[in-house]
Amino acid sequence: MDEVDLRPERLSDSVARYLEKLVLEGTLRAGDRLPAERKLAAELNVSRPSLREALQKLEAAGLVETRHGGGTFVRNAFGAALTDPLIQLFHDHPQAAFDFIELRATLEGMGAYHAALRGTDADRETLSEHFAAMERAHANEDPTEEAERDADFHYAIAEASHNTVLMHVMRGLLDLLRRDVIFNRMRLYKRPDARDVLLRQHRAIFTAIMARDAEAARAAAQGHMAEVAAFFRADREAAIRDDSARRRRARSRTSLASPAR
């Protein structure tokens, strides 16, 4: 008969697993500061030494970091995997923007599909709040605020999908988007009707999820990303034409300025 280890789990291990669960499910998010040690120990009903040992385990695993004099914070594990040289490559090569959108189309479609099937009443309330915030920013003609609320809305969909891997991947991708590593989101609004078109697409995603129509939600999410790709493709082609025209213009002016022989 195989030997069975019946030793009870150490309290610090139990605390560490509980905090890991909060990170995994998104209750604790990257960048969140944990409560002060005394307060957190009281909330978890454990001794401060046991809590301290649990936090040391989590820090060794790379899930949290302690900042001198600043407290303990949840680390962005996905962001940390993207090294500075790789981020610079994303920034310097326009094709990365289209690869980014292509990936998001797949993930967003999956997220919207499962959000429609699995979203709880609490999830739908959260989505309603985020969509309402996006509408207010749109009505106030504040494109910067609207872009931020756009990212919040998409992350709320990922949360409502109840797929923890998707949720963390989407958070990492949207963090890159917020930092304009992939592209400047304000370029989306250069087309006069872009903001109205994008809001209409977000409304289609929102309505399908609220109606629990998974297929419609997936189609709306993928259609939205296809439109974003079309916006950026048109913008890139216009920039290429503009560069060519400027070079021809500069060469023409140089030729006109040269004395005839």
Side-chain angles (χ1 to χ4, degrees):
M1 187 173 181
D2 294 337
E3 292 185 4
V4 179
D5 188 352
L6 298 178
R7 290 175 297 178
E9 184 177 45
R10 291 172 60 90
L11 182 57
S12 61
D13 290 337
S14 297
V15 173
R17 283 195 302 106
Y18 176 72
L19 293 175
E20 286 173 351
K21 180 182 177 182
L22 296 184
V23 172
L24 183 64
E25 70 185 17
T27 301
L28 288 175
R29 299 182 179 183
D32 282 354
R33 179 178 178 175
L34 299 183
E37 187 179 283
R38 185 186 301 275
K39 181 179 179 182
L40 185 56
E43 289 179 0
L44 299 178
N45 194 29
V46 297
S47 68
R48 293 176 69 181
S50 292
L51 173 62
R52 197 172 299 126
E53 186 177 344
L55 293 177
Q56 289 171 350
K57 294 176 187 291
L58 295 180
E59 187 162 20
L63 290 177
V64 302
E65 61 179 344
T66 301
R67 302 174 187 172
H68 183 66
T72 301
F73 294 80
V74 179
R75 293 187 61 191
N76 184 351
F78 182 87
L82 293 172
T83 61
D84 288 341
L86 184 57
I87 287 176
Q88 190 61 45
L89 283 175
F90 287 164
H91 186 272
D92 292 343
H93 293 271
Q95 182 57 41
F98 296 103
D99 292 343
F100 176 85
I101 293 170
E102 186 177 83
L103 175 62
R104 272 194 64 192
T106 299
L107 297 178
E108 295 278 6
M110 172 185 172
Y113 179 89
H114 289 298
L117 290 179
R118 301 171 178 169
T120 66
D121 289 342
D123 291 323
R124 287 191 290 276
E125 287 178 14
T126 298
L127 281 171
S128 296
E129 292 168 358
H130 284 301
F131 184 71
M134 196 188 314
E135 286 186 309
R136 285 194 298 272
H138 183 84
N140 293 334
E141 298 185 356
D142 186 342
T144 300
E145 179 70 12
E146 190 171 2
E148 288 297 323
R149 302 293 74 79
D150 178 330
D152 289 342
F153 175 71
H154 283 285
Y155 183 67
I157 292 174
E159 288 186 316
S161 75
H162 291 273
N163 183 307
T164 55
V165 176
L166 173 65
M167 181 184 69
H168 286 283
V169 170
M170 283 301 301
R171 170 161 285 278
L173 293 177
L174 293 172
D175 282 347
L176 290 179
L177 185 64
R178 290 182 196 274
R179 291 160 57 192
D180 289 336
V181 170
I182 301 297
F183 46 67
N184 186 334
R185 288 173 296 155
M186 291 302 101
R187 288 167 56 192
L188 276 175
Y189 300 129
K190 290 174 68 174
R191 201 175 94 178
D193 64 339
R195 292 177 57 245
D196 291 334
V197 170
L198 293 173
L199 182 64
R200 185 164 61 248
Q201 292 168 352
H202 284 112
R203 183 178 290 109
I205 299 169
F206 172 70
T207 300
I209 291 174
M210 297 298 282
R212 299 183 181 277
D213 189 337
E215 291 295 347
R218 175 160 53 194
Q222 292 178 337
H224 164 57
M225 295 313 303
E227 188 69 23
V228 170
F231 282 165
F232 276 97
R233 187 169 288 106
D235 180 71
R236 182 182 179 189
E237 290 171 354
I240 292 172
R241 290 194 297 270
D242 187 56
D243 285 344
S244 296
R246 288 176 184 275
R247 286 193 296 271
R248 288 194 300 270
R249 175 64 176 163
R251 182 175 181 181
S252 174
R253 294 180 65 178
T254 300
S255 298
L256 290 174
S258 301
R261 294 190 179 185

